[in-house]
Amino acid sequence: MPQDPRQRDGCRFTAQNITAAQEKNPFAKISDIVYELLEKAIFSSAIPPGSKLNISKLAEQMGVSTSR
């Protein structure tokens, strides 16, 4: 069974990655952290170009809210 591309190193869309990034820089904005995770996933081909992302599903996986 092929590995889910969203689970590659450093590209996991999980609350743990958000927490790890906040521990590195407690002043970082959640939106910046999420942007960086998505950027890593795209550049590492974990998310293929032209893919459609379900923001609600990503937010749920990361344990963040889509509302302000």
Side-chain angles (χ1 to χ4, degrees), residues 11-32:
C11 300
R12 293 188 182 133
F13 299 117
T14 64
Q16 291 83 10
N17 279 352
I18 300 279
T19 302
Q22 286 178 314
E23 288 173 357
K24 282 184 184 177
N25 181 0
F27 302 105
K29 292 189 223 173
I30 296 291
S31 59
D32 292 341

